[in-house]
Structure formats: structure tokens, C-alpha cells
Amino acid sequence: MLKCELGIGSNENNSKVKTSSYLKKIDMFKLSADLPDLDGSKGLQNEIWERGNFSANSQKQDLKNPAITLRKYVSHHPSPICFEKHYREYMVASLPHLEVLDNLPVTKIDRLTAKTTSRKYFEYLPYKRQPKESVVDILHKREMGGSKARNQKMSMPKQLHPYHHNQLFFSRSLCAAKLGSSEWPHLSPVSNFREKFKQECKRPRPRQFEYHPSDPSLMVFGTLSGEVIVINHESGRTVSYIPSMGAMSSVLGLCWLKKYPSKLIAGSDNGSLKLFDIKHTPQELAESNWGSSNVTFSSFEQLTSLHVNSTDDKFLASGYSKNVALYDIDSEKRLQLFSNIHREPINVAKFAHHSPHLFATSSFDRDVKMWDLRQNPLQPCYTSSSSRGNVMVCFSPDDMSLLVSAVDNEVKQLSAADGRLLMTLEIASTGSAYNYTRSYYMNGGDYIISGSCDEHVIRICCSQTGKRLRDVYLEDFETGNSMFVQSLRSDPFRDFNLSVLAASTRPSSKWEIIKVNMLASSNSQEQEAIFF
């Protein structure tokens, strides 16, 4: 089950919300004074209490005053969104006919303040589209060529609308209109594999996954047991199955080759590195000579990530060490080991999308470094530091920016050219040193999706302004318990679609890949998408 807490104001409720009859009967003075302060109203509540003499007569007098009674009541079971900064302002601005929120009356001053605050920190609709347009209107303008006149009237800075004259403008406009009309996102598990692998009498638990770079229907995932499984995530059909080799080990690194779409490289935490061709691997678990078509590279101990460059001739491996290894795919040899390039373990090493020579590394030593293979990496091009240990880094689709995620929701964008800080996302910290945060670009770099392993929320923010668009909360389908974000990826072929690797808490320790379609309602039976 999934909840999307932000963005519910897209469908305005014209009915007025009144105080529940329960509050008229409840004895407000029996409530504990230690209830959580959801929106800063506790100070106001205490002030009201201090002004009274707390006699029996004054208590009766207060109970006759609804305003005072409401301010003394705080819910025992608040939604997670209640603890988000600017939560009250967002809800008041999104629901213009709201009269009471969290049992506090909404005043005219509240509405004015909420409107200003909401515009500053949140996006009401994607791509800063202030007027809400229907899908029919957008299709009509596409056929009549009437988009430019509408755009000229919009008082938005030109740099915030790079797609006005782009062939993707109409598809993005349709997605914006579709997202604005969707109440709750539609989600579904990628597949249930218990029926596929009865011989094993188990359900494979995914540990890492990647979309295929050219086939919209394919996805590969590696399991905690060392298996590599390629599936058609649209139909749930297994395309290829590669059982674990040797000792049990988790698959932590996966990367497709772009020029050879049937090939992928997989790496395990025991250091194993192999290249597979899915054309020569079986679809189901069975005895076969599948191993004859794979290529084995020299191992890289304590591996945590790998990444292939844009020309498919080299790849990097990094792990729980201070070293990065460079491999040549054609010769199947390790070319070089860059030793001690960080002071602490290197979590991720990523090549640029368009240059086969540039790559970035992120480390728990709080540094992110840019490297150039043409300079025989002895010195980085530059170093940029975070206030906490870095969990990951990735390039924007145009290679103009670096997205850096540090421990406990420290997410920022840097200029890929010189490491300058471009923007920091305002995401609240939890105080946990083990809340590992991961972030990726979505919709061609327009938005950022971010999630952390100690939280069950996915945050979607604008990559240009940092404003929050949506928060999506995850729950287990079967138990209703929270599921925590271990990894996530945006769908490269569908706007506002993504997948999340989520894990539930003990004792089940369930791992599941969940697809999120923000353009379809959770009430729909089938996922919807827009293709061009």
C-alpha cells in the first residue's frame, strides 16, 4: 500500500470541513500535555493555559469557547506528513475551503501566509505550470500549433522552461496535466517469483536493479543470494535467469552495455565480476551450460558498485576500500588500480553519460572528486566536500551537474565543470548516522527523486528550484507495515514513473521492487502511460 501525502490539493474539495462532533463531547483537559507539537501550536496552547486560573469555573468557560478548545487538542496518531516543515501552510493553500486543520481553525491570516509559503517551497503542478490545463486542451494546441502564444503570456523566466521549442514540450505538458488530475499514484510489485521458481521453494529477494537502456520492457535485478534475473517488468515474464555461482553473495553492481543491449556486467560483494549475454542464458532454473557464454574479470574485493563508460569499452569498480579499479571489456583485463584516492571507503564511482574519460567518485570521507582518465588520475580535477559522509553521486543526463547524496538527507547539486554548489534540497534530517540517502534524476533531469534507508518516503523535487512536488509513502502490501527505501531508479522511458527497492522491518525482512506510476490513480486496475 502506498500513500502520496503531498499534492492532494490537485483535486479541490469544495465542501467545507467542519469540526467533528467527537470534539464537542471529549474532555480536553484529560489529554496528556506531552503530545507531539505538530505545527508549533504547543507554544500557543501553553500560552492559553497560562492565562487562565485553571479553576473549575474557568475550565467550563474555556470549553464553551470552540477556538480555545480546538487549540488545546492535538491528534494522538498524526500522519507522517504532519512532521514535515511547512506542512500546515501547504495543506491550507492546497485546500482553499478548509475551515479546520488538526482541530485548529483556519483564519484569513493563515490563508494569506500559507499561500506565500507554499509558493516558495512547493510546486503545485509540474514544470511551474500555474494554469491547470486538461489533456484535451493540450492535444488541441498541439494540432493547431498554439503552444507558443500561451507560453508568451506566462511570466516565467525563460531559463526555467527549456522545452518550449523542444519536441518533448507537448509530451511533458500532457504528463503535467495527467499528474495534476491523479489523486494517488498507482503502484505494483514488479513480479511474484514464487510460481516461477518452484524448484527452489523460495522467493528471490532483490538487492540491486537497473532498467534496460534501450528496451522499455526489460529490467535486471540481482538478489541477496547472488542470482541475476532479467524480467519483462510489464508482463512479469522471466527473460533470463543466472543462478548464483559458488558461495552465497549479494549482487551489488549491475550495468547494461548500451552498444550491445543483450550484455550486462554483474558484480557481487565477494568481489566476483562477470559479463553475461542474456541471449545465451536460460529463462528458468535448470541444468544447462549457461556458464560457457560469460566472461570473468579479475575480482575486486568488497565490491559495492560498478559502472560502464559511454563507449562500452571500459568499466569502473569500487567498494569498501580506498581504491578504484579500471577494467577493459574487450581484453577482459584490469588496466589499472587507482590506490588511496580517498581517505575512506568509496561508495560509488560513476562515468559521465557522454564522455568516456570523465568519472566522479563519492566517499565516506565526505569528499566528491572528479577525475579524467586522460590525465592518468593522480590528482582529481577538483574536490567538493559535504558535511556528512557521501553515499552516492551521479551525473545529470546532460552532464552539466552532479547530484550528490550524503548521509541523512543531505542532497545537493554541483556544477560538473568546477564543483560549485548550485542548489541544496531542504530535506529534514533524522539525526541517524545510518540513514543512507540515495538520489537520482527523473524526467530527463527535470526532477530529483530521493529516498533514505531509515525512512519510508520518496521525495520528488524540482532540479531547477528545489521545490517539493510530491512525497510518496511506502507500505507493505500484505502487512501494512512501513517499507524503507534501499534504492530507487527513474523509468528512462516514461515521465513520472519510477521503481523503488524497498525492505520491510523484521521479522519478515521482505525485499520488493515496487513500480510507482504517478500519472495513474491508485484506484485504476491497469497502469497508464503516455508514449510518443
Side-chain angles (χ1 to χ4, degrees):
M1 185 178 183
L2 174 148
K3 297 180 181 178
C4 177
E5 297 290 356
L6 291 181
I8 65 173
S10 56
N11 291 335
E12 295 184 3
N13 184 359
N14 293 325
S15 60
K16 296 184 177 181
V17 182
K18 302 291 185 181
T19 309
S20 66
S21 58
Y22 172 74
L23 291 178
K24 298 177 182 178
K25 301 177 182 179
I26 188 171
D27 185 354
M28 305 305 300
F29 296 94
K30 290 181 180 179
L31 291 176
S32 169
D34 297 326
L35 293 175
D37 184 14
L38 302 182
D39 55 5
S41 61
K42 184 170 283 189
L44 180 59
Q45 175 184 341
N46 293 336
E47 182 181 346
I48 294 173
W49 277 73
E50 289 171 2
R51 287 177 182 176
N53 57 16
F54 304 108
S55 65
N57 291 335
S58 67
Q59 290 183 10
K60 291 178 182 178
Q61 236 178 11
D62 286 349
L63 285 174
K64 293 178 182 179
N65 187 335
I68 295 177
T69 302
L70 289 171
R71 291 183 186 277
K72 290 177 181 177
Y73 176 79
V74 183
S75 171
H76 280 278
H77 303 287
S79 167
I81 192 179
C82 299
F83 298 98
E84 292 289 340
K85 194 174 182 180
H86 310 301
Y87 143 74
R88 182 174 176 84
E89 291 87 348
Y90 176 85
M91 296 300 293
V92 171
S94 299
L95 303 172
H97 297 282
L98 190 67
E99 288 191 349
V100 176
L101 177 61
D102 289 340
N103 297 297
L104 294 177
V106 178
T107 65
K108 290 183 178 179
I109 297 177
D110 290 338
R111 298 187 197 283
L112 292 174
T113 304
K115 193 173 183 180
T116 303
T117 304
S118 181
R119 283 181 177 176
K120 183 176 180 181
Y121 295 102
F122 300 100
E123 284 197 355
Y124 177 65
L125 288 174
Y127 300 107
K128 295 182 69 66
R129 299 177 63 86
Q130 287 190 347
K132 183 177 177 181
E133 296 179 278
S134 69
V135 173
V136 175
D137 291 338
I138 294 169
L139 289 173
H140 177 73
K141 288 174 185 176
R142 184 182 70 171
E143 297 303 320
M144 303 301 294
S147 65
K148 294 182 180 179
R150 179 60 173 270
N151 294 331
Q152 290 172 355
K153 294 179 182 179
M154 297 178 69
S155 58
M156 298 293 153
K158 290 185 178 180
Q159 62 270 24
L160 296 181
H161 295 274
Y163 304 104
H164 283 177
H165 304 289
N166 190 295
Q167 61 179 348
L168 298 177
F169 172 74
F170 282 106
S171 65
R172 294 179 187 277
S173 297
L174 286 169
C175 287
K178 183 73 174 175
L179 182 62
S181 63
S182 298
E183 296 178 357
W184 309 112
H186 176 72
L187 80 158
S188 59
V190 167
S191 186
N192 188 330
F193 294 96
R194 285 174 178 164
E195 298 300 322
K196 300 287 184 182
F197 304 106
K198 290 181 179 178
Q199 300 95 324
E200 288 289 293
C201 297
K202 68 174 184 177
R203 180 177 183 175
R205 296 195 297 166
R207 178 58 183 84
Q208 189 59 278
F209 73 98
E210 294 287 348
Y211 283 99
H212 195 280
S214 57
D215 189 332
S217 65
L218 293 186
M219 176 189 291
V220 61
F221 71 89
T223 71
L224 291 166
S225 302
E227 303 149 307
V228 176
I229 304 171
V230 180
I231 63 167
N232 183 319
H233 62 85
E234 295 175 350
S235 65
R237 182 178 62 87
T238 304
V239 176
S240 181
Y241 178 85
I242 303 167
S244 176
M245 295 186 62
M248 301 282 281
S249 60
S250 297
V251 177
L252 300 181
L254 288 168
C255 198
W256 291 95
L257 272 62
K258 293 168 283 295
K259 292 185 177 180
Y260 309 98
S262 67
K263 296 183 178 181
L264 62 94
I265 298 177
S268 303
D269 58 5
N270 65 359
S272 171
L273 282 166
K274 294 183 181 297
L275 183 147
F276 300 100
D277 191 335
I278 62 174
K279 288 183 177 179
H280 300 95
T281 55
Q283 293 185 2
E284 297 187 13
L285 179 58
E287 294 294 332
S288 64
N289 193 28
W290 62 269
S292 61
S293 62
N294 72 73
V295 174
T296 302
F297 299 90
S298 57
S299 63
F300 185 90
E301 297 300 325
Q302 297 180 302
L303 180 142
T304 59
S305 79
L306 63 88
H307 196 239
V308 179
N309 68 355
S310 60
T311 52
D312 282 350
D313 59 349
K314 296 179 178 63
F315 73 90
L316 295 167
S318 62
Y320 201 75
S321 70
K322 304 173 185 178
N323 311 324
V324 171
L326 177 68
Y327 292 83
D328 184 84
I329 295 178
D330 294 330
S331 65
E332 305 172 11
K333 295 180 180 179
R334 179 192 290 180
L335 297 179
Q336 197 166 356
L337 181 68
F338 306 117
S339 302
N340 299 313
I341 62 175
H342 279 273
R343 293 171 282 112
E344 296 291 339
I346 301 166
N347 291 311
V348 170
K350 289 279 188 180
F351 273 112
H353 294 287
H354 304 287
S355 171
H357 311 291
L358 295 176
F359 69 94
T361 55
S362 65
S363 168
F364 275 131
D365 66 5
R366 304 186 180 185
D367 288 342
V368 169
K369 298 184 179 184
M370 179 71 76
W371 308 88
D372 191 334
L373 291 176
R374 294 167 294 189
Q375 297 178 1
N376 191 18
L378 299 176
Q379 294 292 331
C381 302
Y382 60 79
T383 300
S384 179
S385 299
S386 304
S387 64
R388 306 183 185 100
N390 293 309
V391 178
M392 72 159 296
V393 63
C394 65
F395 286 82
S396 61
D398 59 6
D399 286 343
M400 298 296 290
S401 304
L402 287 178
L403 183 59
V404 181
S405 305
V407 172
D408 203 19
N409 294 327
E410 183 179 343
V411 182
K412 58 186 178 181
Q413 279 192 110
L414 307 177
S415 168
D418 53 15
R420 275 181 301 112
L421 177 64
L422 299 178
M423 184 183 68
T424 300
L425 298 186
E426 293 190 6
I427 303 177
S429 301
T430 64
S432 170
Y434 303 99
N435 189 31
Y436 300 124
T437 302
R438 295 171 176 84
S439 306
Y440 287 88
Y441 287 99
M442 183 176 72
N443 291 21
D446 298 342
Y447 285 90
I448 293 169
I449 53 175
S450 181
S452 301
C453 66
D454 281 352
E455 298 178 87
H456 63 292
V457 58
I458 307 159
R459 299 176 175 92
I460 297 97
C461 302
C462 177
S463 62
Q464 298 178 26
T465 64
K467 291 183 179 181
R468 193 86 62 84
L469 176 67
R470 292 287 190 276
D471 279 5
V472 179
Y473 289 84
L474 298 173
E475 292 180 355
D476 186 6
F477 291 93
E478 298 173 357
T479 66
N481 296 328
S482 297
M483 296 194 75
F484 301 93
V485 180
Q486 306 301 308
S487 187
L488 68 170
R489 299 287 190 276
S490 67
D491 190 321
F493 303 98
R494 303 167 180 86
D495 282 344
F496 296 111
N497 278 251
L498 61 133
S499 289
V500 187
L501 174 61
S504 62
T505 54
R506 293 176 180 269
S508 63
S509 297
K510 179 180 178 182
W511 293 67
E512 182 69 87
I513 299 175
I514 300 172
K515 294 201 299 183
V516 180
N517 183 354
M518 300 178 67
L519 304 182
S521 170
S522 59
N523 298 323
S524 63
Q525 297 298 320
E526 297 181 358
Q527 279 190 312
E528 300 173 34
I530 300 174
F531 295 96
F532 289 86

